[in-house]
Amino acid sequence: TIVGADGSDIYDVALRVLAQPLPLIAAVQGAAIGAGLGLALCADFRVASSRSRFAATWALLGTHPGFGVTALLPRLVGPQRGLEMLCSGQSVLGDEALRIGLCDRLVDDDGLVRSAAIDMARTLAGAAPLATRSIRETMRTGLIDDVQRAIERERAEQHRLMRTDDYAEGIAALRDKRSPSFTGC
Protein backbone atom coordinates (compact mmCIF):
# COMPACT_ATOMS: atom_id res chain seq x y z
CA THR A 1 0.00 0.00 0.00
CA ILE A 2 1.29 3.42 -0.92
CA VAL A 3 0.94 5.99 1.85
CA GLY A 4 0.83 9.72 1.19
CA ALA A 5 2.73 12.38 3.13
CA ASP A 6 -0.33 12.93 5.33
CA GLY A 7 -0.51 9.21 6.21
CA SER A 8 -3.50 8.51 3.96
CA ASP A 9 -3.62 5.42 1.77
CA ILE A 10 -3.34 6.55 -1.85
CA TYR A 11 -6.22 4.28 -2.81
CA ASP A 12 -8.45 6.09 -0.33
CA VAL A 13 -7.43 9.30 -2.07
CA ALA A 14 -8.68 7.78 -5.33
CA LEU A 15 -12.07 7.16 -3.75
CA ARG A 16 -12.22 10.75 -2.49
CA VAL A 17 -11.40 12.05 -5.98
CA LEU A 18 -14.17 9.90 -7.45
CA ALA A 19 -16.64 11.21 -4.87
CA GLN A 20 -16.10 14.90 -5.71
CA PRO A 21 -19.42 16.47 -6.77
CA LEU A 22 -18.21 18.41 -9.83
CA PRO A 23 -16.56 17.03 -12.95
CA LEU A 24 -12.78 16.75 -12.83
CA ILE A 25 -10.40 17.09 -15.78
CA ALA A 26 -6.96 15.49 -15.85
CA ALA A 27 -4.29 17.23 -17.93
CA VAL A 28 -1.94 14.41 -18.97
CA GLN A 29 1.40 15.89 -19.91
CA GLY A 30 3.92 13.16 -20.66
CA ALA A 31 3.26 9.75 -19.13
CA ALA A 32 0.41 8.41 -17.02
CA ILE A 33 1.78 5.09 -15.81
CA GLY A 34 0.76 2.98 -12.83
CA ALA A 35 -0.66 5.18 -10.09
CA GLY A 36 -0.49 8.14 -12.51
CA LEU A 37 -2.80 6.23 -14.83
CA GLY A 38 -5.05 5.46 -11.87
CA LEU A 39 -5.28 9.12 -10.93
CA ALA A 40 -6.03 10.13 -14.54
CA LEU A 41 -8.77 7.48 -14.70
CA CYS A 42 -10.42 8.92 -11.57
CA ALA A 43 -11.08 12.16 -13.46
CA ASP A 44 -14.21 12.50 -15.58
CA PHE A 45 -12.24 13.77 -18.57
CA ARG A 46 -8.66 13.49 -19.75
CA VAL A 47 -6.85 15.97 -21.99
CA ALA A 48 -3.58 14.75 -23.50
CA SER A 49 -1.11 15.44 -26.27
CA SER A 50 -0.20 13.20 -29.15
CA ARG A 51 3.01 12.42 -27.21
CA SER A 52 1.21 11.50 -23.97
CA ARG A 53 1.63 7.89 -22.95
CA PHE A 54 -0.77 5.77 -20.90
CA ALA A 55 0.30 2.39 -19.49
CA ALA A 56 -0.71 -0.11 -16.82
CA THR A 57 2.68 -1.73 -16.20
CA TRP A 58 1.96 -3.76 -13.06
CA ALA A 59 2.11 -7.13 -14.87
CA LEU A 60 5.58 -6.22 -16.15
CA LEU A 61 6.64 -5.84 -12.53
CA GLY A 62 5.08 -9.13 -11.47
CA THR A 63 2.24 -7.66 -9.46
CA HIS A 64 -1.43 -6.73 -9.68
CA PRO A 65 -2.86 -3.34 -10.69
CA GLY A 66 -4.10 -1.01 -8.00
CA PHE A 67 -5.86 2.36 -7.67
CA GLY A 68 -9.16 0.85 -8.84
CA VAL A 69 -7.74 0.59 -12.36
CA THR A 70 -9.30 -2.85 -12.88
CA ALA A 71 -12.74 -1.22 -12.51
CA LEU A 72 -12.00 2.13 -14.17
CA LEU A 73 -9.98 1.22 -17.27
CA PRO A 74 -12.42 -1.31 -18.80
CA ARG A 75 -15.25 1.18 -18.25
CA LEU A 76 -13.47 3.61 -20.61
CA VAL A 77 -11.84 1.41 -23.22
CA GLY A 78 -14.00 -1.71 -23.03
CA PRO A 79 -13.33 -4.99 -21.22
CA GLN A 80 -11.24 -6.61 -23.93
CA ARG A 81 -8.95 -3.63 -24.56
CA GLY A 82 -8.70 -3.03 -20.80
CA LEU A 83 -7.66 -6.65 -20.24
CA GLU A 84 -5.04 -6.36 -22.98
CA MET A 85 -3.59 -3.18 -21.48
CA LEU A 86 -3.55 -4.65 -17.96
CA CYS A 87 -1.96 -7.97 -18.99
CA SER A 88 0.56 -6.67 -21.53
CA GLY A 89 1.70 -3.44 -19.90
CA GLN A 90 2.07 -1.92 -23.36
CA SER A 91 1.84 1.84 -23.74
CA VAL A 92 -0.96 3.62 -25.54
CA LEU A 93 0.05 6.91 -27.14
CA GLY A 94 -2.16 9.99 -27.44
CA ASP A 95 -3.70 9.37 -30.86
CA GLU A 96 -4.70 5.82 -29.96
CA ALA A 97 -5.83 6.94 -26.50
CA LEU A 98 -8.27 9.34 -28.15
CA ARG A 99 -9.47 6.67 -30.58
CA ILE A 100 -10.21 4.12 -27.83
CA GLY A 101 -11.76 6.58 -25.36
CA LEU A 102 -8.87 6.78 -22.91
CA CYS A 103 -8.67 10.55 -23.41
CA ASP A 104 -11.31 13.06 -24.49
CA ARG A 105 -9.28 15.86 -26.05
CA LEU A 106 -5.97 15.72 -27.86
CA VAL A 107 -3.57 18.56 -28.60
CA ASP A 108 -0.40 18.49 -30.69
CA ASP A 109 2.05 19.67 -28.06
CA ASP A 110 2.53 18.83 -24.36
CA GLY A 111 2.77 22.56 -23.67
CA LEU A 112 -0.85 23.02 -24.79
CA VAL A 113 -2.40 20.32 -22.60
CA ARG A 114 -2.98 22.50 -19.56
CA SER A 115 -4.59 25.35 -21.52
CA ALA A 116 -6.83 22.86 -23.37
CA ALA A 117 -7.91 21.38 -20.02
CA ILE A 118 -8.64 24.88 -18.69
CA ASP A 119 -10.70 25.66 -21.82
CA MET A 120 -12.66 22.46 -21.29
CA ALA A 121 -13.22 23.41 -17.63
CA ARG A 122 -14.52 26.83 -18.68
CA THR A 123 -16.96 25.18 -21.07
CA LEU A 124 -18.20 22.84 -18.34
CA ALA A 125 -18.41 25.72 -15.86
CA GLY A 126 -20.82 27.48 -18.24
CA ALA A 127 -23.45 24.81 -17.61
CA ALA A 128 -25.88 24.91 -14.69
CA PRO A 129 -23.97 23.60 -11.64
CA LEU A 130 -26.93 21.76 -10.09
CA ALA A 131 -27.65 20.01 -13.37
CA THR A 132 -23.97 19.18 -13.88
CA ARG A 133 -23.71 17.65 -10.40
CA SER A 134 -26.89 15.68 -10.94
CA ILE A 135 -25.74 14.36 -14.32
CA ARG A 136 -22.35 13.38 -12.92
CA GLU A 137 -23.97 11.59 -10.00
CA THR A 138 -26.31 9.69 -12.32
CA MET A 139 -23.51 8.75 -14.73
CA ARG A 140 -21.36 7.51 -11.85
CA THR A 141 -24.08 5.51 -10.09
CA GLY A 142 -22.45 2.43 -8.64
CA LEU A 143 -18.94 3.45 -9.73
CA ILE A 144 -17.56 4.19 -6.27
CA ASP A 145 -18.91 0.86 -4.97
CA ASP A 146 -17.37 -0.95 -7.97
CA VAL A 147 -14.03 0.79 -7.44
CA GLN A 148 -14.10 0.09 -3.69
CA ARG A 149 -14.62 -3.63 -4.36
CA ALA A 150 -11.87 -3.59 -7.00
CA ILE A 151 -9.46 -1.83 -4.61
CA GLU A 152 -10.08 -4.43 -1.91
CA ARG A 153 -9.27 -7.23 -4.36
CA GLU A 154 -6.33 -5.31 -5.84
CA ARG A 155 -4.80 -4.76 -2.37
CA ALA A 156 -5.10 -8.43 -1.48
CA GLU A 157 -3.55 -9.52 -4.77
CA GLN A 158 -0.75 -6.96 -4.54
CA HIS A 159 0.14 -8.18 -1.02
CA ARG A 160 0.13 -11.80 -2.23
CA LEU A 161 2.09 -11.20 -5.43
CA MET A 162 4.68 -8.93 -3.81
CA ARG A 163 5.92 -11.99 -1.91
CA THR A 164 6.69 -13.92 -5.11
CA ASP A 165 9.93 -14.52 -7.00
CA ASP A 166 8.31 -12.97 -10.08
CA TYR A 167 7.80 -9.68 -8.26
CA ALA A 168 11.41 -9.67 -7.06
CA GLU A 169 12.50 -10.36 -10.64
CA GLY A 170 10.26 -7.64 -12.06
CA ILE A 171 11.69 -5.05 -9.68
CA ALA A 172 15.28 -6.23 -10.29
CA ALA A 173 14.77 -6.08 -14.06
CA LEU A 174 13.38 -2.56 -13.81
CA ARG A 175 16.31 -1.48 -11.62
CA ASP A 176 18.83 -3.14 -13.97
CA LYS A 177 17.07 -1.81 -17.11
CA ARG A 178 16.64 -5.27 -18.65
CA SER A 179 13.77 -7.52 -19.67
CA PRO A 180 12.45 -9.64 -16.82
CA SER A 181 12.71 -13.42 -16.83
CA PHE A 182 9.61 -14.56 -14.95
CA THR A 183 9.31 -18.14 -13.66
CA GLY A 184 5.74 -18.21 -12.36
CA CYS A 185 6.94 -18.64 -8.76
Side-chain angles (χ1 to χ4, degrees):
T1 302
I2 301 171
V3 178
D6 65 353
S8 63
D9 181 312
I10 192 134
Y11 297 159
D12 293 336
V13 173
L15 291 169
R16 286 199 310 266
V17 170
L18 286 168
Q20 295 302 307
L22 292 173
L24 299 172
I25 301 167
V28 180
Q29 295 173 290
I33 298 174
L37 174 65
L39 185 58
L41 294 176
C42 287
D44 298 278
F45 303 99
R46 282 147 300 283
V47 177
S49 81
S50 55
R51 293 183 357 188
S52 294
R53 187 167 58 108
F54 299 83
T57 57
W58 288 276
L60 299 177
L61 297 174
T63 192
H64 194 283
F67 222 94
V69 169
T70 58
L72 296 166
L73 184 62
R75 189 175 174 124
L76 289 175
V77 302
Q80 197 63 30
R81 187 55 194 256
L83 180 63
E84 179 184 3
M85 286 182 67
L86 292 168
C87 289
S88 73
Q90 291 184 329
S91 294
V92 172
L93 296 177
D95 293 329
E96 184 179 3
L98 180 65
R99 186 177 56 76
I100 66 174
L102 192 49
C103 73
D104 304 285
R105 300 280 188 279
L106 194 67
V107 296
D108 293 330
D109 185 293
D110 273 345
L112 302 174
V113 171
R114 186 180 198 129
S115 62
I118 290 169
D119 288 345
M120 184 178 202
R122 283 187 182 117
T123 299
L124 295 174
L130 294 177
T132 300
R133 287 177 186 199
S134 179
I135 292 165
R136 184 178 192 268
E137 185 177 335
T138 300
M139 295 293 293
R140 288 194 163 215
T141 297
L143 177 62
I144 292 174
D145 292 335
D146 291 347
V147 172
Q148 177 65 51
R149 280 190 298 276
I151 285 173
E152 289 170 12
R153 166 95 173 135
E154 290 168 352
R155 277 186 181 128
E157 287 304 300
Q158 283 179 341
H159 289 297
R160 182 180 72 81
L161 292 170
M162 286 180 176
R163 294 188 305 265
T164 66
D165 292 343
D166 276 355
Y167 178 71
E169 170 60 14
I171 296 301
L174 177 67
R175 180 193 63 233
D176 299 342
K177 297 181 181 173
R178 61 174 172 79
S179 295
S181 180
F182 294 120
T183 60
C185 298

